[in-house]
Amino acid sequence: MPTSSRVFHESLTTSILSGCRGQAAVEQTGPTTGTITGDLNIKGNVKPVTLDVTFNKADYNQRGERHKIGFSGTTKVLRSDFDVDLAVPFVGDEVSLIIEVEFDEQNPS
């Protein structure tokens, strides 16, 4: 990976992984869809975001003897809103956040 690409990638990765914390509001919009609205904190800049979420599946894994549940979430943010403006406007400002999560039951009863 060229140096400029590596710096750009590390800048985005470090910023985005600095995290989401705090309260969130969840609203069901359909049988398997909904929204989650909360504050996204990137580099100390806190902005409200809304994720469109989809319930993928809940199942019992007999082999692992535990329950699992999966969700997907997507939203778009502007890097410049969070002071992650390296190379704007030469590199797109809009970033799609795609989140895939699977929760495993840790202590089956």
Side-chain angles (χ1 to χ4, degrees):
M1 180 181 300
T3 302
S4 59
S5 296
R6 185 174 57 248
V7 170
F8 180 72
H9 180 265
E10 289 171 359
S11 173
L12 279 180
T13 303
T14 301
S15 299
I16 290 172
L17 293 179
S18 67
C20 300
R21 294 186 181 161
Q23 300 290 324
V26 178
E27 180 182 342
Q28 187 170 355
T29 59
T32 60
T33 59
T35 60
I36 300 175
T37 301
D39 291 333
L40 177 63
N41 181 344
I42 299 177
K43 293 180 65 176
N45 298 294
V46 180
K47 306 282 183 190
V49 297
T50 299
L51 291 168
D52 294 316
V53 295
T54 301
F55 166 71
N56 296 324
K57 186 176 182 179
D59 204 356
Y60 181 75
N61 180 334
Q62 292 182 357
R63 187 169 157 189
E65 297 183 354
R66 64 179 65 187
H67 292 93
K68 293 185 174 195
I69 189 168
F71 295 91
S72 300
T74 61
T75 193
K76 294 183 180 186
V77 298
L78 297 178
R79 296 187 300 121
S80 58
D81 284 349
F82 296 93
D83 290 334
V84 183
D85 52 6
L86 179 67
V88 171
F90 304 107
V91 176
D93 191 21
E94 186 176 83
V95 176
S96 295
L97 300 180
I98 303 168
I99 301 168
E100 300 288 341
V101 293
E102 181 178 284
F103 298 100
D104 289 344
E105 181 180 32
Q106 293 300 306
N107 297 314
S109 304

